Amino acid sequence: MTENSVPKNTATKPPLNWTTVTFFTLVHLLALLAPWYFSWQALGLTLLLHWLFGSIGICLGYHRLLSHRSFQVPKWLEYLIALVGTLALQGGPIFWVAGHRLHHAHTEDEQEDPYSAKRGFWWSHMLWMLYPEAKFFDSDLYSRYAPELARDPVYRWLNRNFILLQIPLGLLLYGLGGWSFVIYGIFLRAVLLWHSTWFINSVTHMWGYRTFTTEDNSRNLWWAAIFTYGEGWHNNHHAYPNVARAGWQWWEIDVTWWAIWVLKTLGLATKVVKIPAHVKPTLKQIF
């Protein structure tokens, strides 16, 4: 067998990163303390922060605004939304955006897509972070895929300090509701939001229906869309990634789109990328 005939998927697997394993394990274990610190207020806090950090910070901010530039907002608001995304504890904005752009540029390629679903459910769901490849985790390497963010000192600062920002958040929550709010607002919220987001990398490339014939295996999956505020309409998104709206049919509920619509109505969101008229001429635009 010649060197050029070696299958791509025989590349050496990177070593397990025990620091990352320990971090994720510790947060999951602390989340399991939730029953002993239960209160209805703490549960409500978890749901509120899951929406705020997930729908507004990650889905609207990191994803549709920063990764795909599906719309524009004033710079002060862009920074604020990015800060909210940083508090989700899913990496800094440069890291997140660069990885997602690579995912779209090389969807499901086993070497170039950071969380390729072709490498299995658990790889795309979380193992890609436990066995990190330098080209996806070294800031000098991944920054080239989000150059406009890498040039911005605000985004560089957020990218470096996303974990440390949990400290003032934790202190605020402790002051508002003691350890109950910390357990529910930091640890339980982080675990629930992690897996909600990771479902998009894993299950929506495996199960669901396909509205569009794309070169990848992206799917529309209703229950994933519920947990991720509309991101589960993933086949729609992969077919037209720059469109601000992920749910295209009346039954495809897209909570994040509602927030974009509110910003548009208030005059804060401009240049919103609409569904192409030639693709869905009967779908009523809300602008």
Side-chain angles (χ1 to χ4, degrees):
M1 179 179 288
T2 64
E3 181 180 354
N4 292 335
S5 64
V6 176
K8 289 166 59 178
N9 59 5
T10 60
T12 303
K13 190 176 184 179
L16 186 66
N17 187 309
W18 285 104
T19 301
T20 305
V21 171
T22 301
F23 173 75
F24 280 128
T25 300
L26 181 61
V27 174
H28 278 76
L29 289 175
L30 288 170
L32 292 176
L33 295 175
W36 287 272
Y37 289 89
F38 175 81
S39 72
W40 289 109
Q41 292 86 351
L43 180 60
L45 175 71
T46 301
L47 297 177
L48 174 64
L49 295 185
H50 189 282
W51 166 78
L52 179 62
F53 297 164
S55 181
I56 304 303
I58 297 297
C59 303
L60 185 151
Y62 274 19
H63 187 207
R64 304 190 200 188
L65 176 60
L66 297 182
S67 295
H68 295 291
R69 296 298 178 182
S70 299
F71 60 98
Q72 294 182 12
V73 296
K75 204 65 178 180
W76 66 266
L77 182 56
E78 179 179 307
Y79 287 150
L80 179 60
I81 294 172
L83 173 62
V84 174
T86 304
L87 293 174
L89 200 57
Q90 295 190 10
I94 303 174
F95 164 78
W96 202 103
V97 169
H100 190 72
R101 288 177 179 174
L102 277 169
H103 169 66
H104 275 273
H106 308 284
T107 306
E108 297 175 358
D109 183 279
E110 294 185 28
Q111 302 305 317
E112 301 302 324
D113 181 349
Y115 28 86
S116 172
K118 286 187 177 179
R119 298 182 68 171
F121 171 85
W122 284 110
W123 178 266
S124 59
H125 194 71
M126 64 183 299
L127 289 182
W128 68 278
M129 293 177 288
L130 305 185
Y131 294 90
E133 298 183 43
K135 62 183 177 181
F136 303 134
F137 286 84
D138 186 311
S139 61
D140 291 334
L141 298 178
Y142 68 66
S143 292
R144 69 187 68 175
Y145 300 103
E148 79 282 18
L149 302 185
R151 290 191 296 266
D152 191 314
V154 174
Y155 285 116
R156 291 199 301 269
W157 189 88
L158 291 174
N159 207 62
R160 290 193 305 268
N161 297 290
F162 74 95
I163 292 181
L164 293 179
L165 287 172
Q166 295 296 306
I167 295 175
L169 175 62
L171 292 173
L172 173 63
L173 294 178
Y174 183 81
L176 292 174
W179 286 112
S180 177
F181 272 31
V182 174
I183 296 297
Y184 276 78
I186 298 285
F187 302 109
L188 181 61
R189 177 269 307 168
V191 169
L192 294 176
L193 188 51
W194 280 343
H195 289 281
S196 298
T197 304
W198 299 345
F199 277 145
I200 303 304
N201 302 337
S202 54
V203 298
T204 60
H205 281 268
M206 295 180 177
W207 302 294
Y209 64 89
R210 290 167 59 81
T211 301
F212 300 99
T213 302
T214 57
E215 295 182 359
D216 54 69
N217 196 40
S218 57
R219 306 276 173 158
N220 292 326
L221 190 59
W222 68 270
W223 62 263
I226 291 175
F227 287 125
T228 59
Y229 307 99
E231 301 294 82
W233 311 119
H234 207 50
N235 177 246
N236 298 346
H237 174 62
H238 268 269
Y240 295 90
N242 294 328
V243 171
R245 183 175 182 174
W248 287 28
Q249 304 291 350
W250 66 265
W251 66 84
E252 294 176 341
I253 296 174
D254 185 355
V255 174
T256 301
W257 163 250
W258 299 348
I260 297 173
W261 178 82
V262 169
L263 292 176
K264 169 69 175 179
T265 302
L266 295 174
L268 292 172
T270 59
K271 298 184 179 180
V272 180
V273 180
K274 302 179 182 181
I275 298 170
H278 71 277
V279 176
K280 215 61 176 167
T282 61
L283 183 63
K284 181 181 179 182
Q285 300 286 345
I286 320 180
F287 305 148

